[in-house]
Amino acid sequence: MLVLTLLAAVLVGLALGVLGGGGSILTVPILVYIAGQEPKQAIAMSLFVVGVTSAVGAMSHARAGRVRWRTGLVFGAAGMAGAYGGGRLAELIPGTWLLVGFAVMMIATAAAMIRGRRDGAPVQPHGELPVGRVVVEGLAVGAVTGLVGAGGGFLVVPALALLGGLPMAIAVGTSLVVIAMKSFAGLAGYLATVHIDWKLAVMVTVAAVIGSLIGGRLTGLIPEALLRRGFGWFVLVMGGFVLSQQLPMVAWIVEALLAAGVGGAWLVLRKRRKVTAGGGPE
């Protein structure tokens, strides 16, 4: 299982290098379902793995001119504040609920990436994004990062590409700067209450770094539309997998909502019948 975990970690790095995200989307399931870690330990460990791997990958993209440093650093600084708070808040939430929320956000984001940028949305191939917008988006994405253990690439890349108008290749490179900053902040929040297996964390990180260096060389060779849609389908598949592992909980939630809806409808119909029987308006 250790060998399988390390081979899968190479794919984690490859995803980060090529897509600028997907590190934790892969790392959390790998650590939970292959390495046998508890959800909160897996989330904390994934923040370390993804943080180190993203920092190394960002350097590769920077050398190719695919990083917007001001946007990345401001987004990352705002995200760090949100990530630390999210990491502390996670102490109060059961691990199963964290994984369900993780999967739902993955699926929603994947749909946005597959659909693509809104018609008429501006493209900014060379400029930096407005600071105010970057701060707001950074805080929101950072909170999710710390809460569910996602390094944020699956949210940062769409924010930069769809909302900010950066080309996908540049959004990928810039997102790695953001992910590294937020992952370490989220890890700090988790380490206040969670202990992780550092030996396993270091081995997985080394394997992931190797994959990220390979992925960084491939990004500039992939067409924009193909890269965006590939990112979207990748996230959608992983989100569906994680959600399927939590189906007993999801099924219970759906049943509860259906029961509440049926009960509410029955009360409304009963009230209407009473009004009709009493001679009120039909």
Side-chain angles (χ1 to χ4, degrees):
M1 297 306 288
L2 177 60
V3 173
L4 184 59
T5 299
L6 295 179
L7 290 175
V10 175
L11 295 179
V12 170
L14 190 63
L16 277 168
V18 172
L19 302 174
S24 290
I25 292 172
L26 279 172
T27 307
V28 172
I30 287 169
L31 293 175
V32 171
Y33 303 119
I34 298 180
Q37 299 291 301
E38 293 296 319
K40 290 188 177 182
Q41 280 71 28
I43 289 172
M45 191 181 299
S46 77
L47 289 169
F48 174 78
V49 174
V50 173
V52 174
T53 306
S54 297
V56 174
M59 295 300 102
S60 175
H61 282 274
R63 286 193 294 270
R66 294 192 296 265
V67 174
R68 294 292 178 266
W69 285 103
R70 193 194 74 181
T71 295
L73 293 173
V74 172
F75 201 127
M80 288 175 73
Y84 181 80
R88 296 304 301 268
L89 180 62
E91 178 185 0
L92 308 176
I93 302 175
T96 298
W97 284 99
L98 291 177
L99 289 177
V100 169
F102 185 47
V104 170
M105 283 183 291
M106 288 164 63
I107 292 171
T109 303
M113 291 300 289
I114 294 170
R115 185 176 63 247
R117 188 181 291 114
R118 299 187 305 272
D119 291 340
V123 178
Q124 301 183 24
H126 303 297
E128 301 279 0
L129 301 184
V131 174
R133 183 197 301 178
V134 172
V135 170
V136 171
E137 293 177 2
L139 285 170
V141 174
V144 175
T145 296
L147 187 62
V148 301
F154 80 102
L155 291 176
V156 176
V157 172
L160 295 176
L162 299 181
L163 303 180
L166 294 181
M168 269 297 292
I170 293 176
V172 167
T174 304
S175 76
L176 292 175
V177 176
V178 178
I179 293 169
M181 297 173 69
K182 293 192 296 81
S183 294
F184 289 128
L187 176 64
Y190 261 89
L191 289 182
T193 56
V194 174
H195 298 285
I196 65 177
D197 182 345
W198 286 106
K199 181 179 178 179
L200 177 61
V202 170
M203 288 191 292
V204 171
T205 300
V206 171
V209 166
I210 293 172
S212 74
L213 294 176
I214 298 172
R217 294 180 176 274
L218 297 176
T219 302
L221 305 177
I222 302 175
E224 163 103 5
L226 180 61
L227 184 60
R228 173 175 52 77
R229 291 193 181 96
F231 181 96
W233 285 109
F234 167 75
V235 174
L236 182 63
V237 169
M238 292 308 302
F241 172 76
V242 174
L243 191 60
S244 71
Q245 301 302 306
Q246 308 302 319
L247 275 179
M249 173 63 74
V250 174
W252 181 86
I253 294 171
V254 172
E255 290 174 4
L257 291 174
L258 289 174
V262 171
W266 180 79
L267 290 175
V268 170
L269 290 173
R270 184 179 179 186
K271 184 176 180 180
R272 287 181 177 176
R273 286 175 181 172
K274 284 183 177 181
V275 171
T276 303
E282 297 184 6

